[in-house]
Amino acid sequence: MAMQLFGALDTNSSGVLGSWEMRKYARLTGFNGDAKAWATARAGLYAACGWDEAEDVDPWKFFQMVDDEDGEGHLADADLLLLLTRLQSRPVLVARLFRALDSSGSGRLAAEEFVRFAAARRRGFDGGGGTKPREQYKALSLAHGWDSEAGVGAKDFARMVSDAGSLAHCTTGELREALAALGCRTELIVSAFGSLDDSDSGRLPCASLRRYAEFCGFEGHAAEWEEEYRDLAASHGWDARFGADLRGFASMVNDRSGNGYCSTEELLQFVVRGR
């Protein structure tokens, strides 16, 4: 996943990450300073990693940084998945959707599993023609060259949903919506965070996070919430001055012992309510 994250950050497809792209990574992982602060933080990160500041970051350097458990740039797999989902990395979303639909674990999607796909994307595969799901499934197998009896495999599924001319094509937004509808927890957390992040800053300040807290049952007045917010920031590792980042929010939502925990079903309710 580290290489997938590298690809998602490499917005100009240069094969390396420049200072601006590394700053984007830093913001995703908690940095919130201005250009001057970034220059200082960048110098410290590059020095810690043994990199030359004059050189851009290639894939191998990035992988080593993320994989080094003792380094300041390390990310656990769960955090990598959160960031990839936040960046809407299409290959990751397609692979996760396939796994979510493959309820049998066979590595292929049968007609019954395709019915779940149609329901999750909230439209069928016949362009509004009214044909039954199994007939749509058969038509797609003929159009895309896979055996309807054996089921569609992961590679054919990825090609089909990425083919703009296919009736099964999904935009990146539709992939995310389908995952959320299927109850995929990571996608739901990212969607919940996005619904609260009105300014698209990557941070949830005190007022924004209160909406989630009230969904979880908080009923106190403003002063009580400010105190609770500071406690949450201390417990889950974000700077209360700037607001919760995605990792801090996920930590809070996944903490079964805390007041901010939500089950997957409750998260789905929150996300659907916010649409």
Side-chain angles (χ1 to χ4, degrees), residues 42-53 55 61 64-65 68:
R42 178 175 179 269
L45 174 63
Y46 281 40
C49 293
W51 300 342
D52 185 336
E53 278 194 72
E55 297 178 357
K61 286 180 180 177
Q64 287 181 310
M65 176 191 71
D68 181 4

Side-chain angles (χ1 to χ4, degrees), residues 185 188-189 192-193 196 209 212 216 232 236 238 246-264 266-267:
R185 187 169 180 84
L188 287 169
I189 290 172
F193 183 90
L196 295 166
L209 195 60
Y212 175 78
C216 294
L232 288 168
H236 298 287
W238 74 75
L246 179 57
R247 286 200 293 172
F249 179 74
S251 174
M252 176 189 70
V253 171
N254 288 328
D255 180 8
R256 290 178 177 271
S257 64
N259 295 328
Y261 174 76
C262 265
S263 68
T264 299
E266 290 167 336
L267 275 172

